[in-house]
C-alpha cells in the first residue's frame, strides 16, 4: 500500500506499538462518526434524520471492521467526509456571502492526503476537488478561496508523482498494481459481486448502504 497510513500512525506506533495504532485508528473513526452525524444534520436540519444517517454509516459492517484495521479504507473514508463537508461549506458560503479564506486551505490539505493513502483514492480527491471548485465559483472572493484550496494539493501532487519516480522509476501511479489484470468485461461481474457476494457483498453485510 501507499505510505500515507504508515506516516499517519507512526507517532502512535512509536508511543504504544501496534495496540497504540489500533486505539489511534478507532479515535479517527470516532471523529468520522461524529462528522457523519454533523453533515447529516446540516443537510436535513433534523436530528432524527441525522441519527438515522449516523447509524447507517457508523453501524455498518464495513465501518466497524475498518475502524480498527490497519488498512487504508477507514482513514480514507473519514477524509472523504471532510470533502463532503467542503461541498456543504461552499454551498453555505454562497448563501451567506462569507469571504473567509482560511478554512479552504485545510479542506485542500485534507483531500491532498487521499492519494498518499491509496492510489485509487486519487479519483475521489479529484472528483470532490472539482465539485468544490465549482461551488466556490458561486461564493464571494472565489479566486482567493480557490488558490487557498489548491496550493497544498498542487504541491502534494508533484511530490506524489516524484515518489513514484524515485521508488518505481516511472511517474505512473498504477505501476505497483501492474500485475493485476483488468478489463471492461469484468465490470458486470464486479458490480454483481459488490452487492451480492456471500463473503464481501454490501447487500449481505450492510444492506442500508
Amino acid at each position: 500500500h501507499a505510505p500515507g497510513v504508515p506516516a499517519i500512525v507512526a507517532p502512535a506506533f512509536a508511543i504504544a506499538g501496534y495496540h497504540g495504532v489500533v486505539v489511534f485508528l478507532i479515535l479517527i473513526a470516532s471523529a468520522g462518526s461524529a462528522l457523519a452525524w454533523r453533515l447529516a444534520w446540516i443537510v436535513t436540519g433534523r436530528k432524527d434524520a441525522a441519527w438515522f444517517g449516523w447509524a447507517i454509516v457508523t453501524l455498518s459492517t464495513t465501518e466497524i471492521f475498518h475502524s480498527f484495521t490497519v488498512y487504508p479504507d477507514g482513514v480514507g473514508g473519514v477524509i472523504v467526509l471532510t470533502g463532503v463537508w467542503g461541498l456543504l461549506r461552499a454551498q453555505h458560503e454562497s448563501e451567506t456571502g462569507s469571504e473567509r479564506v482560511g478554512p479552504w486551505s485545510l479542506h485542500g490539505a485534507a483531500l491532498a492526503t487521499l492519494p498518499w493513502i491509496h492510489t485509487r483514492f486519487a479519483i475521489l480527491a479529484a472528483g470532490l476537488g472539482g465539485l468544490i471548485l465549482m461551488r466556490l465559483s458561486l461564493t464571494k472572493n472565489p479566486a482567493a478561496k480557490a488558490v487557498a484550496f489548491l496550493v497544498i494539493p498542487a504541491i502534494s501532487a508533484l511530490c506524489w508523482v516524484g515518489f513514484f519516480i524515485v521508488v518505481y522509476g516511472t511517474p505512473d501511479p498504477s505501476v505497483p498494481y501492474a500485475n493485476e489484470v483488468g478489463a471492461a468485461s469484468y465490470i458486470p461481474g464486479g458490480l454483481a459481486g459488490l452487492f451480492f457476494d456471500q463473503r464481501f457483498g454490501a447487500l449481505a453485510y450492510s444492506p442500508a448502504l
Side-chain angles (χ1 to χ4, degrees), residues 150-198:
L150 290 173
V151 167
I152 295 177
I155 296 171
S156 177
L158 291 174
C159 294
W160 187 58
V161 172
F163 166 80
F164 287 99
I165 293 174
V166 170
V167 175
Y168 298 102
T170 174
D172 181 6
S174 68
V175 66
Y177 317 102
N179 293 327
E180 297 182 8
V181 178
S185 61
Y186 294 163
I187 292 176
L191 288 175
L194 179 66
F195 289 100
F196 304 112
D197 185 87
Q198 295 181 35

Side-chain angles (χ1 to χ4, degrees), residues 106-121:
L106 298 177
H107 281 294
L111 290 181
T113 63
L114 278 175
W116 291 97
I117 293 175
H118 200 289
T119 297
R120 57 189 161 87
F121 292 159

Side-chain angles (χ1 to χ4, degrees), residues 11 53 62-63 65 72 74 80 86 88 117 124-125 139 154-155 159 165 172 177:
T62 49
E63 173 61 21
F65 279 92
V80 167
L88 297 177
I117 293 175
L124 295 173
T139 67
I155 296 171
C159 294
I165 293 174
D172 181 6
Y177 317 102

